[in-house]
Amino acid sequence: MRTGIVEMGLHPRGAPDSLLRASRLLATAAGADSMWLPDHLIGIVPASIWAPRHMAVARVVQRGDGYYEPWTALGYLAARNRLSRLRLGVGVTDSGRRNPAVTAQAAATLHLLTRGRAILGIGPGEREGNQPYGVEWSKPVARFEEALATIRLLWDSGGRPVSRDSDFFPLRDAVFDVPPHRGTRPQIWIGAHGSRMLRSVGRYADAWFPGFPQRPKDYGAKLTRIRTAASDAGRSPDAITPAGWFAVAPARSRAEADEMLGSVGARVLALCVSADVWARHGAEHPMGANFSGVQDLLPQTLSEEQALACANQVPESLLRECAICGTPADILDQFAEWHDHGLRYPVLLNAGPMCHTSVRAGMLTAGPFLKVLRALKRL
């Protein structure tokens, strides 16, 4: 396996780049292949519970919605990446909030500045990053498909004016002349879950990059569908890297792991899960039986009382599906099952600081997290 790590790109106390530098050093020490930043204006954790009494990370990062603009931050990292040579990715960018021509330009620029080590992670986005800012939030999958077609057309245009009809992103004699790096463009990693999106992965993507939650057997079944779509499109199924985005809660003991799973920080992640998954665990989603999950979550509208009440309703079995939790040995056993169902490139977020109220305990999760990253390469 190759591995990547997620740095959330939040503004910390102290030096503005302190967490970026720490995560880059951790990725290098772990022998990771890549480092990723999300593309968010609002976090998925309600700001009302982003507080030290609920999670240690709030002592280090005061603003849970204080996300850095990812392409700017990745450019900063690129200037400090000559020795470690990490691949740098955005995981994942929003295909509706950003005009695809601007996304194509940002990714192509990063690819040149990193000497061919940029990755464009892309998906349909979420309501929280669009609707509150006056961006139309309708037909997100159709918008994604048009954005992807636009990016590919511009990258392949060779600087010639191109035109394209589209309900969302029409082009009229549009020029794109940022050159490729030695004939290559950034890899495209698609965050996909539904049937239509899975077909897009098979037809166009270099990697499949879904988020949580999934079960290994479901991952394997969807991977089969992606490979079938690739074959139908005349592509080699092996050309698509089976990747995934995972929240990992590493602990020094199983008792600590159980305590972390019961924390507010771990429980609130389950609000991002669809009502269908809640129903599979014998519970109704607090947002209603038809709630679609993170795509429609508006966390900034939840009070502390509402967020805590919702978090307290999460079944323990669902918690264990949302985050991979345990000692390094336990986590590796879980990833071995994922490997058996086709996973080859896990990208990990250390959720430990979210699952403790003690800063010291949260910081100590870095040790087992590093052990997991190093050991995953041997699976």
Side-chain angles (χ1 to χ4, degrees):
M1 282 200 187
R2 287 178 293 170
T3 61
I5 72 164
V6 178
E7 160 54 45
M8 292 306 292
L10 286 162
H11 178 72
R13 287 178 178 268
D17 65 343
S18 58
L19 294 182
L20 292 173
R21 288 187 285 111
S23 291
R24 181 179 62 83
L25 291 173
L26 176 65
T28 302
D33 179 66
S34 59
M35 181 172 167
W36 299 76
L37 293 178
D39 186 358
H40 282 287
L41 286 164
I42 301 175
I44 60 174
V45 176
S48 60
I49 60 170
W50 190 275
R53 62 184 174 276
H54 297 309
M55 54 190 75
V57 67
R59 298 183 186 275
V60 179
V61 178
Q62 290 180 293
R63 299 172 175 87
D65 294 326
Y67 282 87
Y68 288 154
E69 197 284 320
W71 296 107
T72 306
L74 288 169
Y76 168 85
L77 288 170
R80 290 153 178 78
N81 192 38
R82 298 297 175 84
L83 296 179
S84 55
R85 299 182 62 83
L86 292 163
R87 292 205 286 170
L88 301 177
V90 57
V92 298
T93 200
D94 192 316
S95 58
R97 176 161 43 90
R98 295 177 180 273
N99 186 285
V102 177
T103 298
Q105 180 188 37
T109 300
L110 185 67
H111 201 55
L112 287 170
L113 296 178
T114 59
R115 293 173 169 79
R117 296 194 295 277
I119 302 174
L120 171 57
I122 190 167
E126 297 90 23
R127 185 182 298 276
E128 66 169 23
N130 289 272
Q131 184 174 286
Y133 304 95
V135 181
E136 177 69 21
W137 180 248
S138 63
K139 301 181 179 179
V141 176
R143 194 180 296 266
F144 161 81
E145 292 173 335
E146 290 298 299
L148 189 60
T150 300
I151 290 169
R152 285 193 169 277
L153 178 62
L154 292 172
W155 280 354
D156 294 340
S157 66
R160 298 180 299 275
V162 293
S163 299
R164 184 177 185 274
D165 292 329
S166 169
D167 292 336
F168 304 103
F169 309 110
L171 300 176
R172 297 289 180 266
D173 295 320
V175 174
F176 186 90
D177 208 16
V178 180
H181 172 77
R182 297 182 178 177
T184 70
R185 293 297 190 184
Q187 286 193 345
I188 293 177
W189 290 35
I190 296 179
H193 292 270
S195 297
R196 189 170 167 184
M197 290 291 296
L198 294 175
R199 287 195 297 271
S200 292
V201 174
R203 292 170 182 165
Y204 306 116
D206 296 291
W208 178 36
F209 194 33
F212 69 90
Q214 289 198 79
R215 296 176 297 183
K217 66 177 183 180
D218 296 332
Y219 182 93
K222 289 181 179 180
L223 182 57
T224 297
R225 292 164 64 183
I226 288 170
R227 287 172 169 163
T228 298
S231 295
D232 292 344
R235 302 182 66 203
S236 168
D238 294 332
I240 301 167
T241 299
W245 191 107
F246 296 88
V248 174
R252 290 166 294 167
S253 69
R254 291 183 177 177
E256 182 186 13
D258 291 341
E259 182 180 347
M260 292 170 72
L261 272 183
S263 68
V264 172
R267 288 181 171 277
V268 77
L269 289 178
L271 298 184
C272 302
V273 180
S274 71
D276 289 342
V277 177
W278 277 66
R280 177 155 52 76
H281 290 269
E284 182 173 320
H285 199 293
M287 304 295 180
N290 297 315
F291 188 65
S292 66
V294 68
Q295 195 172 51
D296 283 322
L297 182 66
L298 294 173
Q300 75 276 26
T301 65
L302 296 176
S303 68
E304 180 180 19
E305 183 180 5
Q306 290 171 323
L308 293 176
C310 290
N312 287 334
Q313 298 178 45
V314 184
E316 182 177 339
S317 58
L318 177 55
L319 288 171
R320 295 188 180 277
E321 193 171 317
C322 290
I324 296 183
C325 186
T327 65
D330 294 333
I331 291 173
L332 289 171
D333 285 343
Q334 293 175 69
F335 271 114
E337 184 180 1
W338 283 90
H339 183 274
D340 290 344
H341 286 86
L343 178 70
R344 293 297 180 268
Y345 199 124
V347 176
L348 275 54
L349 167 72
N350 180 11
M354 282 185 59
C355 301
H356 284 287
T357 55
S358 160
V359 172
R360 180 177 182 275
M363 292 179 63
L364 287 175
T365 62
F369 184 64
L370 180 61
K371 288 182 181 179
V372 169
L373 284 165
R374 287 174 169 170
L376 277 173
K377 298 192 299 178
R378 299 192 292 271
L379 279 182

